[in-house]
Every structure is written in structure tokens, then in C-alpha cells.
Amino acid sequence: MLNIVIFGAPGSGKGTQSDKIIEHYKLFHISTGDVLRDNIRRGTELGKTAKGYIDQGQLVPDELIIDILAQVLDENKVNAREGVIFDGFPRTIPQAEALEQLLADRGTKIDAVVGLEVPEEELIKRILLRGQMSGRADDNEETARKRLEVYHNQTSPLKAYYEQQGKYRAINGLGSIDGIFESISETLDSL
Ligand code: AMP
């Protein structure tokens, strides 16, 4: 049983490494970005609200995203028996506090936060490349820079928050996909 958060700036490789972690450790994947994009595709009310924020490179408001997370946890009956990887959540301190409470209510907790650390210039390069390949609407230069700014202001304080709890594990996010995964699995296996 392992609950982890995969943490890092946009473009740090969270999605790519999540796929490998899920396959290896058989964890249940919760990506709030995927949930929002799915709602946008289906044209739901939530999708319409979220699109405005996502296109601007802004975060969706905490109350909204926390409600969505609680719903995903309940719909999937995520509880103490199943390990989960949280990808793209939490992104603010209030979200981290809410996550702690939501998991405590379900008799479980976060075991580790895997932080993918990648230099800024490389992040922009990767985001733009992903935009060319996937056509993700928020992967253009202007939005990418905004998202990085939002990351620095609102999300990066979570590193110190989880360090204080002794849960943060820094991973060098530069190198080959398999090499980075190897560092992650060494870390997770040593927990
Ligand atoms: P991602 O796929 O994780 O990069 O998320 C894409 C976009 O969805 C972000 O730039 C935000 O606008 C929104 N989003 C995803 N997760 C969250 C979250 N935990 N809090 C606020 N906004 C989020």
C-alpha cells in the first residue's frame, strides 16, 4: 500500500513518469488535469468553468478542484486498501491540507512526494514540444510562461511543506525516461 504525489513544474515529466509508476506499482492514477480535460471534451458545466482558467494558464479555484478530488476518491472507492498516485494535485497549500483531511477521513495518508526537479529553460522546451506533438491547447509559449509563474508563486511552496513533514523526495528530472524512473523506483523501494 503506497500513496504518493508526483510533484513538479509543468513539463517536468509528471505524466510520463506516472504512467511508468502505475504500471510497475499497480497504483490507481488520479490526474486532476485529465479529469478537467475530459470534462471540457464532454462539454460539462465543470468543463466550461475550468476551460477559462486552463486557457489562461491559471489554476482552477481550490474549492472547485477539492470537490472534484473528493468525488473522484468516492466514485472509485479509493480507500486504505488501494495505493494511489496523485498527479497534478495538490497545487496549493490549501489543497495539500484538504488532501490530508480527505485521506484521513478514509483511513489513509500520503507516504511520499516524488519531486521531479528540472531547470526552467528545459521546462519551456519540453512544454512547447509537447504542444507540437499533442496539440494541447495550453502548451503554447505564452500560456506555458504563465503556468510556470503560477507554479513558482502558488505550487512550489509545497516542496518546503512536504519537506517539513519528511515526505519530500527530490528526483533529478533530467536524463532518459528510464533513467529517471530508475531513480524514482529506488526511492520508492526504500520507503
Ligand atoms: P495538468 O495537466 O496537471 O498540467 O493541468 C492542466 C491545467 O488544469 C492546469 O494548468 C490548471 O489550470 C488545471 N489544474 C489541474 N490540476 C489542478 C489543481 N490541482 N488545481 C488547480 N488547477 C488545476
Side-chain angles (χ1 to χ4, degrees):
M1 228 301 286
L2 190 67
N3 290 324
I4 64 174
V5 172
I6 183 118
F7 181 78
S12 59
K14 296 191 296 290
T16 305
Q17 292 299 331
S18 290
D19 289 345
K20 296 187 73 75
I21 296 169
I22 293 153
E23 195 187 324
H24 190 83
Y25 293 94
K26 310 289 175 224
L27 300 182
F28 183 76
H29 185 212
I30 298 181
S31 155
T32 42
D34 284 352
V35 172
L36 297 175
R37 281 185 289 276
D38 178 56
N39 275 273
I40 294 173
R41 263 191 302 276
R42 290 188 289 116
T44 65
E45 277 309 308
L46 166 63
K48 285 177 199 151
T49 308
K51 190 174 182 338
Y53 294 98
I54 294 178
D55 287 351
Q56 299 290 316
Q58 299 284 359
L59 296 183
V60 169
D62 282 341
E63 315 79 68
L64 190 63
I65 201 85
I66 291 166
D67 275 357
I68 293 168
L69 187 83
Q71 214 175 312
V72 172
L73 290 175
D74 288 340
E75 274 168 9
N76 296 284
K77 303 194 171 40
V78 170
N79 58 28
R81 275 171 283 133
E82 189 171 19
V84 179
I85 179 165
F86 294 92
D87 168 6
F89 190 100
R91 264 178 156 100
T92 63
I93 302 272
Q95 290 183 21
E97 290 167 351
L99 180 61
E100 209 166 311
Q101 188 59 52
L102 286 168
L103 293 181
D105 292 346
R106 290 161 179 78
T108 187
K109 63 174 180 12
I110 292 296
D111 298 297
V113 175
V114 173
L116 295 172
E117 304 198 340
V118 175
E120 189 92 7
E121 322 78 73
E122 174 71 12
L123 293 172
I124 294 273
K125 258 196 266 169
R126 287 189 192 175
I127 294 173
L128 297 183
L129 189 69
R130 180 171 67 188
Q132 283 166 11
M133 294 189 341
S134 72
R136 226 179 97 161
D138 59 344
D139 280 344
N140 60 69
E141 180 146 7
E142 194 191 335
T143 315
R145 293 204 184 275
K146 183 70 207 168
R147 281 156 64 209
L148 284 172
E149 188 189 318
V150 166
Y151 171 79
H152 289 303
N153 292 336
Q154 302 188 54
T155 306
S156 65
L158 286 173
K159 176 176 169 174
Y161 176 90
Y162 283 118
E163 272 172 350
Q164 267 167 12
Q165 296 187 6
K167 290 183 177 172
Y168 188 82
R169 302 284 183 277
I171 299 288
N172 177 4
L174 279 182
S176 69
I177 292 176
D178 287 341
I180 297 165
F181 177 66
E182 212 168 294
S183 314
I184 296 175
S185 50
E186 272 170 25
T187 300
L188 294 180
D189 291 346
S190 71
L191 287 177

